[in-house]
Amino acid sequence: MTTPIVPERDDERGDPPKVSGERAVLDGWLDLYRDTVLLKIAGLDTEQLARRSVPPSTLSLIGVVRHLTEVEAYWLRVVLDDEQDVPDYYSTADEPYGDFDLANAADAAANLAAYERELDVTRARAAAWSDLDSPVRGLRRGEPVNLRWILVHLVEEYARHLGHMDLLREAVDGRTGY
């Protein structure tokens, strides 16, 4: 094995707030899941991250990270702020599943760096909004949504894909855990 792109680390995650306001709870769960992504890939090298370990699925751990990069950018830049010049990181009209299907070991470190940069941007964007109730600036498929809907959807999106990451990681090296 070559050098891991995310070093091994102790699990220092805490529980999201159990008795708090709605926004603190939503942000707490989302941040817990963002941190869990990095724990799921800690200690793996680029080849392991790109391994499609559950055939016939094209999913790989780095493919899920790529997907979550696009998810963050879409919901918290395009929909929340109506930003029009957000790049299509991996998926295009010609490759709608490019985030998963085109993932490879050669680009894994750059893909992880893009995810971490996107988190810096999207965390700041979400933090700038305090109103959970009013419609946000952008639309989702032509319809208005509010920040509450976006945050709940992001928690659901991360929870689903962390389940995929659990299976993929176990198939790569046997590691399991929450």
Side-chain angles (χ1 to χ4, degrees):
M1 182 166 113
T2 59
T3 305
I5 64 171
V6 176
E8 289 287 357
R9 58 180 69 187
D10 291 331
D11 184 354
E12 297 179 0
R13 297 169 300 160
D15 288 334
K18 293 181 179 73
V19 179
S20 192
E22 181 179 15
R23 179 64 187 267
V25 170
L26 289 170
D27 286 343
W29 277 103
L30 186 53
D31 281 337
L32 172 74
Y33 287 159
R34 288 167 169 159
D35 292 343
T36 303
V37 167
L38 298 176
L39 281 172
K40 289 290 171 196
I41 63 174
L44 298 179
D45 64 28
T46 57
E47 293 295 328
Q48 290 170 310
L49 288 170
R51 189 175 302 158
R52 289 172 167 86
S53 58
V54 186
S57 173
T58 62
L59 287 179
S60 65
L61 289 161
I62 200 62
V64 175
V65 171
R66 288 161 53 103
H67 177 70
L68 292 171
T69 304
E70 290 189 332
V71 164
E72 290 274 347
Y74 174 74
W75 285 106
L76 295 171
R77 292 171 68 186
V78 175
V79 177
L80 179 69
D81 274 341
D82 200 25
E83 186 178 332
Q84 298 300 309
D85 60 346
V86 176
D88 289 324
Y89 281 97
Y90 312 108
S91 300
T92 64
D94 292 336
E95 293 287 350
Y97 302 105
D99 48 355
F100 296 119
D101 294 346
L102 301 178
N104 63 69
D107 297 330
N111 296 162
L112 177 62
Y115 174 70
E116 291 177 315
R117 281 191 309 273
E118 192 60 46
L119 285 181
D120 289 340
V121 172
T122 57
R123 280 183 166 127
R125 295 289 179 92
W129 280 78
S130 59
D131 182 2
L132 291 175
D133 297 319
S134 299
V136 298
R137 290 186 182 122
L139 301 172
R140 165 65 169 164
R141 296 182 181 157
E143 295 185 41
V145 296
N146 61 23
L147 182 56
R148 176 183 294 104
W149 198 96
I150 292 171
L151 293 175
V152 168
H153 177 73
L154 286 172
V155 167
E156 176 274 328
E157 183 93 18
Y158 269 89
R160 178 168 19 103
H161 290 303
L162 284 168
H164 296 139
M165 292 181 89
D166 286 338
L167 295 172
L168 293 165
R169 178 64 190 251
E170 185 174 10
V172 167
D173 69 354
R175 183 182 286 180
T176 60
Y178 173 67

